[in-house]
Amino acid sequence: MTTKSQAGQAASEVRQLPLDTARECFGWLVTGPQPLAVDGRAYAGLPNRLVPLDELRERLLHRRCPRATRDAVWAELITRSRREGATWTLACTGMALPVLATTVRWLTSRYPDDAFDIQAEVLTAFLGALATVDLDRPHVLVRLRWVAYRAGIALLFEELDAPTPLPPGYRSTVPRPPWGHPDLVLARAVREGVLTRTEADLIGATRLEDVPISRWADSHRTTVPAAYQMRHRGEHRLTDYLRGSESRSDDADPVGEHVAGQLTPLAPPSGRSPRGPSRNASNRRGGRRTKQTKKVAPAVSKTGSDSGLLNCGRSTPRRPEAPTSEVPRCA
């Protein structure tokens, strides 16, 4: 059974950073009696001998190294990488390690937890650019560095825009009304008969898409004052609709069936059948919904016990035994 220290050491070995791996592999190439080298006699400013790559890297990074020499050496390294493959590709990576490390250090200065992914992305972009970079143009290493930097910064922005992971027990839920998407709200209002399709299109275009109302009026062959009036009336009805739906919530739908019960008349009391329209029916005045009442007017009867036509709401009096010409008076 492994101890905690051994487990931590194994985890650190598995999670070794990509640039550290490249540094170790480059060290193997320049170690031993015959290190990987470049003939310095072909380039101005270099010794007239085989120059190992680790020494060559220090000379190219020196401030006094001519730019032409630096570009010529990099063109040779990349040409060998394209022609011979793995060994010289790794050599190019080792030669560029100081530049890549500086790029990664800047990218991870504020977000050290993303060092592995950023290093992997930077290194992948650098290796991909070795096959496509133009060797006839100056500043070969600088252009390779910018390709790697852009890949790293793109990954960093993608990570920052991603949702923040939450501990167990937290989950994403549907927002409660009235926080539905505006298009869904308008679509529901059309289905519920609150707005017409034209009114919904007018509100959506001029309020949500910043379309000038004059342009909308021209495209729909109407006048600007008529469009303003149509939008004003539609927004008033939509406001009443949304305010009435705030008192209800639906966990399954952001827009919900908020006003389904409010838009239909309430059922009359059991045992009564009103002869006329009930008071709680949806009244419309100029296309605007008015507030519904909760009571239903009973049927009117001149002989009912609650009628005010006889004895001002009292019970119906008994029929007199003898006819009389007087009419019963209200008390």
Side-chain angles (χ1 to χ4, degrees):
M1 182 175 182
T2 60
T3 62
K4 291 184 179 180
S5 60
Q6 292 175 347
Q9 183 178 0
S12 62
E13 291 177 356
V14 174
R15 197 62 178 175
Q16 187 176 17
L17 295 177
L19 291 188
D20 293 338
T21 304
R23 186 177 293 106
E24 290 182 2
C25 295
F26 182 74
W28 297 338
L29 295 179
V30 296
T31 302
Q34 294 182 349
L36 200 64
V38 170
D39 190 358
R41 292 172 294 182
Y43 307 100
L46 296 182
N48 295 327
R49 57 179 173 84
L50 291 177
V51 183
L53 292 186
D54 54 347
E55 178 186 351
L56 179 63
R57 182 175 64 184
E58 299 298 328
R59 290 181 177 274
L60 294 181
L61 292 176
H62 198 276
R63 185 179 303 176
R64 295 183 179 180
C65 179
R67 180 183 60 81
T69 300
R70 190 179 295 117
D71 288 338
V73 171
W74 269 104
E76 176 65 19
L77 294 175
I78 295 174
T79 300
R80 291 190 180 185
S81 172
R82 294 175 180 177
R83 184 174 61 246
E84 301 180 21
T87 299
W88 286 99
T89 300
L90 182 58
C92 292
T93 305
M95 293 287 292
L97 275 178
V99 176
L100 297 179
T102 303
T103 302
V104 169
R105 190 180 304 114
W106 187 91
L107 291 173
T108 59
S109 58
R110 296 185 180 181
Y111 308 97
D113 294 339
D114 295 332
F116 187 92
D117 293 339
I118 291 179
Q119 286 193 18
E121 191 71 18
V122 167
L123 189 56
T124 301
F126 173 81
L127 294 176
L130 290 177
T132 58
V133 66
D134 188 358
L135 302 180
D136 296 330
R137 296 172 55 193
H139 305 291
V140 177
L141 181 59
V142 174
R143 287 186 281 117
L144 289 173
R145 184 256 179 188
W146 277 110
V147 171
Y149 169 79
R150 286 192 291 268
I153 201 69
L155 175 65
L156 183 60
F157 286 159
E158 181 180 352
E159 293 292 335
L160 293 177
D161 292 339
T164 303
L166 298 175
Y170 295 88
R171 67 183 188 277
S172 178
T173 58
V174 178
R176 291 183 176 273
W179 306 112
H181 191 279
D183 291 339
L184 297 177
V185 175
L186 292 176
R188 179 58 58 86
V190 172
R191 287 196 298 269
E192 296 289 348
V194 180
L195 299 176
T196 64
R197 292 182 179 272
T198 304
E199 291 171 338
D201 178 74
L202 172 60
I203 295 174
T206 59
R207 294 299 193 189
L208 304 179
E209 301 176 8
D210 296 330
V211 175
I213 196 168
S214 57
R215 184 189 305 172
W216 188 93
D218 292 340
S219 62
H220 289 76
R221 298 181 180 179
T222 186
T223 62
V224 175
Y228 272 114
Q229 187 176 14
M230 182 190 306
R231 187 177 68 178
H232 178 74
R233 291 177 176 176
E235 287 177 344
H236 269 283
R237 295 198 303 275
L238 183 61
T239 301
D240 294 340
Y241 167 78
L242 294 178
R243 286 177 179 174
S245 64
E246 288 180 0
S247 60
R248 301 182 59 187
S249 63
D250 189 351
D251 294 334
D253 189 350
V255 196
E257 297 291 340
H258 308 304
V259 294
Q262 298 180 7
L263 297 180
T264 57
L266 295 176
S270 59
R272 294 186 181 181
S273 177
R275 299 180 181 178
S278 60
R279 293 183 181 179
N280 69 325
S282 299
N283 298 324
R284 295 178 179 269
R285 180 178 298 173
R288 182 181 304 176
R289 295 182 182 271
T290 59
K291 186 176 181 181
Q292 299 175 354
T293 59
K294 297 183 179 180
K295 296 182 179 180
V296 178
V300 179
S301 175
K302 65 180 180 179
T303 60
S305 61
D306 297 333
S307 174
L309 298 180
L310 296 175
N311 287 338
C312 296
R314 296 180 179 179
S315 301
T316 306
R318 297 180 178 178
R319 177 182 295 273
E321 296 179 357
T324 176
S325 61
E326 296 182 356
V327 179
R329 299 181 180 181
C330 296

